[in-house]
Amino acid sequence: MQDMLQQALLQDTSFDSFSRAKVSMSVSDPRLEDNPIIYVNHAFTQQTGYARSAALGRNCRFLQGEDTSKAAVDRLREGIQAQETVTVDILNYRANGEPFMNRLLVTPLNDDNGDLRYYVGIQKELNANHRDEDAEHINKQLSEVQDRVEADMSMIIGMVRHQTNQSMQPAEYAALTRRIETLQLLYQEMKLSDQHSNYDSIHMGSYISRLACAIGHTYGRSGVRLNLQLEPIDVPMEIASRVGLVASELLTNAFEHAFDRIETGLVEVRMSQLSGGGLRLTVSDDGVGIPAAMPWPNSTTVGGRMVTGLIEGLEGTMQLGRGAAGSYITIDVPAGAALIK
Ligand SMILES: Cc1cc2nc3c(=O)[nH]c(=O)nc-3n(C[C@H](O)[C@H](O)[C@H](O)COP(=O)(O)O)c2cc1C
C-alpha cells in the first residue's frame, strides 16, 4: 500500500490538481548523498519538461549544460556550502534540450535547533523580452514566495523534528510531499499570479474543498464517497495554513485507515463559522472506527504530533467521538486574538 502511494505521488498524475503555483519550487535533502531533490511542484515539471520521477533523487545540476556559466555554478555551490540564501540567473536546459534563463533562489531551512534540514529552490524563467521592471517584480515575487515557504516549511519541520536523523522511508517522503502540497494548494488560493499576490485572507471553504477532493482522489477509492458541507469563511493566511495541515492529516487518516476491508463508505467534512466568530471543522467517517485501546491523537506518529502541535498553536480544541459506525473528529478554532475575521 505504501509503495503504491509513493508510486502514485511519483507518477505526477494523482496530485495534478495540486501544485499549480506559477513559480516552480524544489526541495532537496542535504543529509542524503549529493543533496538530491526530494520534491518538485507541478510548475517545475512544466517549466523543465522533466517528470517528477525523472527529477527526484538527482542533484539539480542535471538542468545545467554546455553553455551554463561556470561563475554562476560556483556562486551556487559556495552559497549552498555556506548555508546562505543565494540568487543567480543561470542557463538551464529543458528535457528536450531547449535552453532557458532561470532566475534561481536557493535557501537553507533549519530545524528548531538550528540544524540544516532542507534546501528550497524557487525558480522563475526569465524571458528575453523581460524588461527591467519585470525583473524587479520577479525578484519581489521570489522573495515573497521564499518568505511564505520558509514560514510554512519551518512549521512542518518543527513538527517532524522528533524524527531520527536516519534517512526517511518512502512512506515518510510521501507524507512530506502531501504536506508540502497541502500548502501549495493554499498558495493557489492566495491568488498568486504574475500580476499581484494577495496574502491577506483565504477563502477557506474553497481551499478545504480542493484539498479534500485532491486527498480523496489520491487516497480514496471508488466505493468511498466524499461529502462536503463548507460555509464560505475568510480566514487569515496563518490560520488557513494550520487548519489546512490539520485537515490534510485527518482526511488522509480517514481514507487510509477507516475502511480497512470495507468496500463502501463515507467521509464527510463540515466547516462552519461559530457564532462567536471562530471556526469549526469536523471530519467524520462511517468506517471501522478508531479502536478504543488506541491512544489518540497518537504522539508516536508524526501526523499525531503535527495535529496536536498545530491545534495548540491555534489555541483550539480537538475532540474525538466514536459513533455507532466510524468516528468523528471536531476541531474548534476560536476567534480569539482576532485571528479569524
Ligand atoms: C534546492 C536546490 C535547487 C536547485 N535548483 C537548481 C536549478 O534549478 N538549476 C540549476 O542549475 N541548479 C540548481 N541547483 C544547484 C545545483 O544543485 C548545485 O548545487 C550547483 O550546481 C553547485 O554545485 P556543483 O558545483 O556541485 O554542481 C539547486 C540546488 C538546490 C539545493
Side-chain angles (χ1 to χ4, degrees), residues 151-188:
D152 289 339
M153 287 287 290
S154 304
M155 197 155 67
I156 299 179
I157 296 168
M159 307 286 167
V160 180
R161 69 178 179 277
H162 301 278
Q163 259 172 358
T164 59
N165 275 354
Q166 289 155 5
S167 56
M168 277 193 263
Q169 299 301 309
E172 290 172 85
Y173 273 118
L176 177 69
T177 301
R178 172 177 51 77
R179 288 169 189 139
I180 298 174
E181 308 243 305
T182 296
L183 296 166
Q184 291 271 316
L185 196 56
L186 180 62
Y187 304 155
Q188 286 175 266

Side-chain angles (χ1 to χ4, degrees), residues 8 19 24-25 37 65 80 152 156 167 190 199 239 242 290 305-306 333-334:
S19 319
S24 68
M25 182 181 140
I37 295 296
I80 291 169
D152 289 339
I156 299 179
S167 56
M190 276 175 0
Y199 292 171
I239 308 253
R242 287 177 165 81
I290 299 175
R305 285 198 301 274
M306 269 188 74
V333 179

Side-chain angles (χ1 to χ4, degrees), residues 67 91-94 96-101 125:
D67 290 330
L91 190 73
N92 279 171
Y93 294 81
R94 292 187 233 281
N96 65 5
E98 186 193 342
F100 68 99
M101 191 49 88
E125 180 170 346

Side-chain angles (χ1 to χ4, degrees), residues 118-156:
Y118 300 110
Y119 282 100
V120 172
I122 301 166
Q123 288 97 341
K124 179 92 190 176
E125 180 170 346
L126 294 180
N127 294 326
N129 53 4
H130 262 136
R131 298 185 309 271
D132 281 355
E133 60 261 41
D134 291 336
E136 209 165 284
H137 171 75
I138 289 170
N139 279 352
K140 190 163 164 277
Q141 199 182 33
L142 287 185
S143 77
E144 279 177 356
V145 173
Q146 180 197 358
D147 286 351
R148 190 69 255 154
V149 167
E150 272 187 35
D152 289 339
M153 287 287 290
S154 304
M155 197 155 67
I156 299 179

Side-chain angles (χ1 to χ4, degrees), residues 26-28 34-35 37 44 59-61 63-64 68 73 76-77 80 90-92 102 104 106 119-121 123:
S26 56
V27 178
S28 76
D34 201 28
N35 196 9
I37 295 296
F44 182 100
N59 182 293
C60 220
R61 74 171 77 80
L63 292 175
Q64 300 159 12
T68 302
V73 176
L76 272 173
R77 187 179 48 256
I80 291 169
I90 188 163
L91 190 73
N92 279 171
N102 189 0
L104 168 67
V106 177
Y119 282 100
V120 172
Q123 288 97 341

Side-chain angles (χ1 to χ4, degrees), residues 106-119:
V106 177
T107 193
L109 288 178
N110 297 337
D111 64 18
D112 286 0
N113 303 323
D115 294 329
L116 177 66
R117 193 60 199 88
Y118 300 110
Y119 282 100

Side-chain angles (χ1 to χ4, degrees), residues 238-287:
E238 300 307 324
I239 308 253
S241 56
R242 287 177 165 81
V243 173
L245 283 168
V246 171
S248 173
E249 298 303 316
L250 299 181
L251 275 161
T252 310
N253 262 342
F255 280 110
E256 276 202 297
H257 303 299
F259 307 105
D260 200 19
R261 278 166 285 185
I262 299 180
E263 294 276 308
T264 56
L266 174 68
V267 172
E268 273 189 314
V269 187
R270 283 185 202 170
M271 189 176 63
S272 34
Q273 181 128 39
L274 297 173
S275 309
L279 165 154
R280 172 168 294 168
L281 177 82
T282 304
V283 175
S284 61
D285 66 74
D286 65 353

